[in-house]
Amino acid sequence: MEEASSPPMTDEQPKEGKWRNKRRNICIAVLAVVVILFLVILILALTVFKAKRPVITVKSMNLTDLGVSVDMARMRALLNMTVGADLSVRNPNVAGVKYKDSSALLGYRGETIGDAPIPAGRISAYSTEDMNIAVAVMADRLMSNPRVFADVMAGVLPLTANTKISGKVSLLSVFIIHVTSAVSCDINVFFSNRTIDYHQCTYDTKL
Ligand SMILES: *[C@@H]1O[C@H](CO)[C@@H](O)[C@H](O)[C@H]1NC(C)=O
Ligand SMILES: *[C@@H]1O[C@H](CO)[C@@H](O)[C@H](O)[C@H]1NC(C)=O
Ligand SMILES: *[C@@H]1O[C@H](CO)[C@@H](O)[C@H](O)[C@H]1NC(C)=O
């Protein structure tokens, strides 16, 4: 009642104060939105867009159980062998990586001649896991390829070995990022000294 009847001078002051309050609230709200946006972008930048694929390294490979028998009359070669690979898989993420079941494959001229399972597992943040894989060649499959005989006679059998690790990284239990790493190596099996050469490894990695 008092305010209503007061002169314009005194009426304007609280109005101005209210406006100032309103303006301050809008400023705070805008600032809060900006800060939240900034934090969201920062978190995304540090997490989602920074999720890295596991790093596979081939530490060593060896050849065991090599058995060769050549049937000169029928131009056939029988082969037994097991290729062993010592891999390390490093998880460079701030969170653990859970990887799915996969396998290591051995190929000969485009044909799969052996595989070994890699069971699913988990690698903790920033840690490295060693994997020892042994792939036995399926002699019958190798035998059915007519080029084996010529390669055995030449003394070198070219093989490829490859494996892929696929998994997911769960960041802040909110962002789940799929990561895949693969490695493929060209191997030469030398019959003269029963060794393998595996220096041509290519690492294919993508998020
Ligand atoms: C391959 O392995 C099988 C079973 O172990 C054996 O019977 C065969 O003699 C081997 N062949 C060669 C060429 O070593
Ligand atoms: C060959 O490699 C496998 C797998 O890494 C390993 O377990 C085995 O001891 C190695 N054998 C030899 C003779 O080096
Ligand atoms: C085995 O023999 C091949 C060719 O005959 C040669 O290139 C390779 O260096 C030899 N490896 C070892 C370990 O002697």
Side-chain angles (χ1 to χ4, degrees), residues 139-158:
D140 52 334
R141 288 217 201 161
L142 194 56
M143 194 183 76
S144 64
N145 192 312
R147 297 178 74 175
V148 173
F149 179 75
D151 285 336
V152 170
M153 294 319 277
V156 186
L157 191 78

Side-chain angles (χ1 to χ4, degrees), residues 65-70 77-81 139:
D65 306 330
L66 177 65
V68 194
S69 83
V70 180
L78 280 177
L79 277 181
N80 282 342
M81 68 179 119

Side-chain angles (χ1 to χ4, degrees), residues 1 4 8 10 29-30 34 64 78-79 81 97 100 104 108 117-118 140 144-145 147 152 167 179 186 189 192:
M1 295 297 162
T10 47
V30 167
V34 167
T64 51
L78 280 177
L79 277 181
M81 68 179 119
V97 170
K100 296 185 281 191
Y108 172 70
I118 299 176
D140 52 334
S144 64
N145 192 312
R147 297 178 74 175
V152 170
V179 287
D186 285 334
V189 175
S192 58

Side-chain angles (χ1 to χ4, degrees), residues 191-202:
F191 297 105
S192 58
N193 49 23
R194 308 170 76 87
T195 61
I196 56 174
D197 166 86
Y198 59 94
H199 296 292
Q200 311 282 323
C201 291
T202 55

Side-chain angles (χ1 to χ4, degrees), residues 3 27 33 36-37 46 52 67 72 82 92 96 113-114 163 190-192 194 198:
E3 264 174 53
C27 275
V33 168
I36 288 168
L37 269 178
L46 291 178
K52 301 178 199 92
M72 293 302 266
T82 299
I113 55 160
T163 191
F190 298 114
F191 297 105
S192 58
R194 308 170 76 87
Y198 59 94

Side-chain angles (χ1 to χ4, degrees), residues 89-206:
V89 185
R90 184 169 61 85
N91 173 15
N93 292 289
V94 291
V97 170
K98 263 191 199 156
Y99 57 92
K100 296 185 281 191
D101 278 329
S102 67
S103 48
L105 303 175
L106 212 53
Y108 172 70
R109 301 195 183 277
E111 190 184 354
T112 298
I113 55 160
D115 63 79
I118 299 176
R122 186 180 182 278
I123 308 172
S124 321
Y126 298 127
S127 47
T128 301
E129 187 168 297
D130 287 327
M131 291 180 183
N132 297 325
I133 305 159
V135 189
V137 164
M138 293 181 267
D140 52 334
R141 288 217 201 161
L142 194 56
M143 194 183 76
S144 64
N145 192 312
R147 297 178 74 175
V148 173
F149 179 75
D151 285 336
V152 170
M153 294 319 277
V156 186
L157 191 78
L159 298 178
T160 56
N162 64 76
T163 191
K164 191 158 98 175
I165 305 279
S166 290
K168 51 193 181 184
V169 187
S170 161
L171 293 160
L172 305 176
S173 317
V174 179
F175 305 110
I176 295 172
I177 299 105
H178 292 267
V179 287
T180 296
S181 294
V183 60
S184 173
C185 298
D186 285 334
I187 300 170
N188 282 318
V189 175
F190 298 114
F191 297 105
S192 58
N193 49 23
R194 308 170 76 87
T195 61
I196 56 174
D197 166 86
Y198 59 94
H199 296 292
Q200 311 282 323
C201 291
T202 55
Y203 297 88
D204 169 36
T205 47
K206 59 181 191 297

